[in-house]
Amino acid sequence: MTDLSLWVMLADLAPHQQCAAIIMRLGGQARELARMISPQEIVTGGWRDGRLLDPVTYLLGALQLRFANLEEETRLQSMTEMLAFARRSGENINALLARYEVVRQRAANEGHFVMGIEGCGLQILKAAGFPWTQLAMLLHQFGGRLPNTEVEFQQLITQVRRLGHVQEAA
């Protein structure tokens, strides 16, 4: 949906042309469902929940009703992803930290799940996989404790990135 939204913003096509282009790129059951939309609906859009929708919104709404995860599925999936976060094989520190931020934001936005700062700090340290001797050095700036504010957490992330770069260069 994000990619389609960006494409719609960039495409220099009328809404009915955008709708037709999207339908032509679909495959499988999504294509079959979209091809059931009448030519009139492709040109003018259609009514849903008492509102007249433009062609692209009408099409995407039909696809979402049929294929999108249910709200509770999305919420559970984002929470599970956050709780099971771990470093992937061969993943560098920059990719790990960027992916963690995406997972953390998704858990908050889609899952309504916000882990405390200390929990996030512990989770990222565990995922980074540093030896215990280096953990003491990383936590020294916080008096040996985990960070407990967002500012401290970002300081920890900076130190983790720095240490990760050193280890990767070695």
Side-chain angles (χ1 to χ4, degrees):
M1 292 298 282
T2 301
D3 290 344
L4 265 177
S5 297
L6 292 172
W7 178 80
V8 165
M9 287 181 225
L10 291 172
D12 193 20
L13 300 171
H16 70 279
Q17 292 171 319
Q18 291 174 342
C19 184
I22 292 167
I23 291 170
M24 295 300 293
R25 299 286 298 173
L26 293 173
Q29 291 301 312
R31 184 181 181 119
E32 294 299 318
L33 178 69
R35 293 183 111 195
M36 293 179 63
I37 295 174
S38 72
Q40 174 75 18
E41 291 169 321
I42 292 172
V43 172
T44 62
W47 291 89
R48 183 164 291 116
D49 298 328
R51 292 183 2 199
L52 179 61
L53 303 175
D54 66 86
V56 173
T57 304
Y58 184 72
L59 169 64
L60 296 181
L63 293 171
Q64 186 175 19
L65 282 173
R66 178 68 176 97
F67 297 107
N69 284 341
L70 299 173
E71 184 180 341
E72 57 273 11
E73 291 172 324
T74 300
R75 198 169 52 249
L76 183 60
Q77 183 179 20
S78 62
M79 288 188 299
T80 302
E81 187 180 16
M82 176 71 176
L83 292 172
F85 187 83
R87 193 171 197 166
R88 294 177 178 159
S89 177
E91 186 173 41
N92 69 36
I93 197 68
N94 289 337
L96 172 79
L97 296 174
R99 190 168 58 83
Y100 185 76
E101 189 55 35
V102 168
V103 168
R104 185 176 176 214
Q105 287 300 317
R106 189 176 297 141
N109 296 337
E110 296 175 7
H112 310 292
F113 176 72
V114 179
M115 185 181 290
I117 298 294
E118 290 176 308
C120 289
L122 181 61
Q123 191 173 37
I124 201 67
L125 289 172
K126 181 180 175 201
F130 296 129
W132 287 108
T133 55
Q134 292 175 331
L135 293 181
M137 179 189 72
L138 286 168
L139 298 177
H140 178 72
Q141 64 183 323
F142 310 116
R145 62 171 171 72
L146 290 165
N148 57 22
T149 67
E150 186 63 33
V151 170
E152 289 179 348
F153 180 71
Q154 292 307 319
Q155 290 171 345
L156 177 66
I157 293 297
T158 300
Q159 293 298 347
V160 166
R161 178 175 284 115
R162 213 172 259 134
L163 185 56
H165 289 169
V166 169
Q167 284 187 337
E168 289 167 5

